[in-house]
C-alpha cells in the first residue's frame, strides 16, 4: 500500500516531514470522534485527496449527541433526556452528510460506530479489545494508505482516547499505512510536522462545509471559525515508538494522589489501579516508573492518569502517554 513519495503543497517545519503525492491511488481514512472534526482539522486535506482522484473514508466514532448547551439554546428547553440526545445526534448526522457533500465526499464513504459522545474513554477502558477490533475491522475493510487520527496531545478525552484506539487497531495490520495526527484542543510538543495549505477556493469550500454544522455554529460560531481557520497541521505517528518512555510524565502532588486512577492499555489488556496500588517505583530523580511485563506481542502500550471525582470541566488534565 505504499505511495510514491513526492512533495505536495505543504509548508514543512524546519525538521522536514514530507507527505506522499496524492493521486488516484490515495486512500485516505479520517478518524473523527465527533461530527465537525472532519472539517475543522481535515477539510483541506480531504479536498486535496479528492481533487487528485483519491478516495476518502470517514469513520465517525460518536454522533456528538452529548452537546447540551447548543441543544438547550436552539430547542428552547432546559432538561435534556435520552430521547432528546438521540434526536440531537440524528440532527448532527444530517449536518455531517451535508458537510461531506461540500467536501465532495459521497455519503457511502461515511461509517458510524455509534459509540457514546464523551464516552470514548469508557469504551476503551471497559470494552478493550472488542472496541479495538471493531475499529480495526473498519480500517481493514477500506485498506487505507493514509490514516488521519486525533493527536494524543489533544485534551478532549474523546480525541486522546481515539488516538490510542486507532494506534492499537493499526498495530494489528501487517502493512501499516502512513499515520498522521491532527490536533484541535491543546498544544503539541512535536517538532516535526507538516502544514496543509489550502487555496482560496479550498478555504472557502471548507468554510461552507463548516457552516453545514448549523447546530454547532449557533453558540460557538466564532470559536468554530477560528479553529477551522488555522492551518491544518499534521505530525507523523510512528507505528512503534523508537524510544519508549521509561518514566511517567506526571508528578501529582501528595494531597491529590488518593483521588487519582492510573490505567494502562495495550492490544490484549486493560488495567486500572488507584494511584496508591499501581505498580509504581520512584527513582532517584522523583520520577515514577511502571513495573510491568513487556507489552503483548511487542505492540504499543499507553498509560492514562485521571481524577476519580466528576467535574464540569470536560478536558483532560493529564491525558495519555505512550510507555
Amino acid at each position: 500500500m505504499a505511495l510514491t513519495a513526492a512533495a505536495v503543497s505543504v509548508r514543512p517545519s524546519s525538521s522536514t516531514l514530507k507527505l506522499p503525492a496524492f493521486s488516484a491511488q490515495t486512500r485516505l481514512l479520517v478518524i473523527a470522534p465527533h461530527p465537525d472534526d472532519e472539517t475543522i482539522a481535515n477539510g483541506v486535506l480531504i479536498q486535496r485527496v479528492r481533487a487528485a482522484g483519491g478516495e476518502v473514508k470517514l469513520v465517525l466514532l460518536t454522533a456528538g449527541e452529548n452537546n447540551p448547551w447548543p441543544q438547550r439554546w436552539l430547542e428552547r428547553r432546559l432538561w435534556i433526556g435520552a430521547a432528546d440526545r438521540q434526536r440531537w445526534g440524528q440532527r448532527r448526522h444530517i449536518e455531517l452528510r451535508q458537510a461531506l457533500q461540500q467536501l465532495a465526499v459521497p455519503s457511502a464513504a461515511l461509517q458510524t460506530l455509534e459509540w457514546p459522545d464523551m464516552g470514548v474513554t469508557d469504551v476503551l477502558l471497559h470494552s478493550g479489545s472488542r472496541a479495538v477490533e471493531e475499529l480495526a475491522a473498519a480500517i481493514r475493510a477500506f485498506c487505507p494508505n493514509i490514516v488521519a487520527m486525533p493527536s494524543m496531545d489533544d485534551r478532549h478525552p474523546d480525541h486522546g482516547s481515539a488516538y490510542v484506539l486507532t494506534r492499537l487497531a493499526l498495530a494489528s495490520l501487517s502493512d501499516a499505512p502512513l499515520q498522521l495526527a491532527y490536533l484541535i484542543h491543546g498544544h503539541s510538543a512535536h517538532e516535526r510536522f507538516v502544514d496543509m495549505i489550502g487555496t482560496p477556493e479550498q478555504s472557502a469550500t471548507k468554510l461552507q462545509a463548516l457552516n453545514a454544522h448549523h447546530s454547532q455554529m449557533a453558540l460557538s460560531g466564532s470559536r468554530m471559525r477560528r479553529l477551522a481557520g488555522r492551518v491544518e497541521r499534521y505530525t507523523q505517528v510512528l507505528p512503534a515508538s523508537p524510544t519508549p518512555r521509561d518514566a511517567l510524565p506526571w508528578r501529582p502532588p501528595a494531597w491529590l494522589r488518593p483521588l487519582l486512577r492510573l490505567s494502562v492499555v495495550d492490544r490484549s489488556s486493560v488495567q486500572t489501579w488507584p494511584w496508591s496500588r499501581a505498580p509504581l517505583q520512584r527513582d532517584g530523580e522523583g520520577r515514577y516508573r511502571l513495573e510491568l511485563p513487556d507489552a503483548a506481542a511487542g505492540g504499543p502500550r499507553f498509560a492514562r492518569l485521571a481524577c476519580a471525582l466528576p467535574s464540569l470541566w470536560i478536558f483532560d488534565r493529564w491525558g495519555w502517554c505512550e510507555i
Side-chain angles (χ1 to χ4, degrees):
M1 291 189 295
L3 292 177
T4 302
V8 296
S9 181
V10 299
R11 181 172 65 203
S13 72
S14 56
S15 181
T16 304
L17 168 61
K18 291 185 178 181
L19 296 184
F22 302 144
S23 69
Q25 284 69 51
T26 303
R27 298 177 66 81
L28 169 65
L29 175 65
V30 176
I31 307 294
H34 315 100
D36 70 29
D37 292 329
E38 82 297 330
T39 298
I40 290 174
N42 305 282
V44 170
L45 174 62
I46 289 171
Q47 289 182 77
R48 286 198 175 278
V49 171
R50 293 294 292 145
E55 290 190 54
V56 175
K57 178 176 180 176
L58 174 65
V59 174
L60 179 68
L61 304 188
T62 84
E65 74 282 359
N66 190 6
N67 191 221
W69 286 108
Q71 186 172 9
R72 290 186 177 107
W73 174 261
L74 290 175
E75 296 185 355
R76 297 294 189 268
R77 66 173 65 244
L78 181 61
W79 172 254
I80 304 294
D84 302 314
R85 285 192 294 272
Q86 182 180 21
R87 184 180 65 255
W88 188 256
Q90 292 169 349
R91 174 174 182 164
R92 296 197 65 183
H93 185 84
I94 293 172
E95 293 173 349
L96 172 59
R97 290 188 176 277
Q98 293 170 345
L100 291 177
Q101 186 176 18
Q102 293 289 338
L103 298 173
V105 177
S107 296
L110 171 63
Q111 180 176 352
T112 59
L113 298 188
E114 300 181 354
W115 294 343
D117 186 12
M118 289 299 299
V120 175
T121 302
D122 287 340
V123 168
L124 172 55
L125 296 181
H126 298 145
S127 298
S129 59
R130 292 195 305 274
V132 171
E133 177 52 35
E134 185 176 8
L135 184 54
I139 297 172
R140 286 194 297 267
F142 183 61
C143 295
N145 40 37
I146 303 177
V147 175
M149 69 187 82
S151 170
M152 185 169 62
D153 295 326
D154 198 304
R155 288 311 184 192
H156 192 298
D158 283 350
H159 286 232
S161 295
Y163 172 90
V164 174
L165 278 158
T166 305
R167 285 286 311 282
L168 294 175
L170 288 167
S172 67
L173 304 183
S174 58
D175 189 7
L178 173 64
Q179 300 170 36
L180 303 175
Y182 63 85
L183 185 143
I184 297 179
H185 314 280
H187 303 280
S188 175
H190 291 276
E191 296 181 354
R192 294 189 73 241
F193 58 84
V194 63
D195 288 340
M196 188 67 56
I197 310 299
T199 65
E201 293 77 11
Q202 289 168 341
S203 297
T205 297
K206 180 175 177 176
L207 181 58
Q208 292 172 355
L210 182 70
N211 287 333
H213 293 282
H214 305 290
S215 62
Q216 305 311 291
M217 300 295 284
L219 284 183
S220 304
S222 296
R223 182 180 66 86
M224 296 277 286
R225 282 186 287 270
R226 175 177 56 81
L227 291 173
R230 299 182 304 188
V231 173
E232 293 178 10
R233 174 165 294 182
Y234 298 90
T235 57
Q236 184 175 2
V237 180
L238 299 177
S241 175
T243 54
R245 183 184 297 274
D246 62 352
L248 297 178
W250 312 299
R251 300 188 190 186
W255 65 267
L256 189 58
R257 293 172 202 162
L259 303 176
L260 298 181
R261 298 293 182 270
L262 182 67
S263 299
V264 173
V265 300
D266 57 30
R267 288 167 55 188
S268 62
S269 66
V270 176
Q271 302 174 82
T272 299
W273 310 270
W275 179 268
S276 62
R277 298 181 184 176
L280 295 169
Q281 293 291 333
R282 201 166 190 180
D283 64 18
E285 299 179 9
R287 299 176 301 180
Y288 291 95
R289 301 175 184 273
L290 272 166
E291 300 292 329
L292 293 170
D294 292 338
R301 173 181 275 171
F302 303 91
R304 180 178 188 264
L305 184 63
C307 183
L309 291 180
S311 172
L312 295 176
W313 181 251
I314 68 169
F315 295 106
D316 275 338
R317 168 63 178 83
W318 297 282
W320 291 92
C321 73
E322 186 168 2
I323 57 174

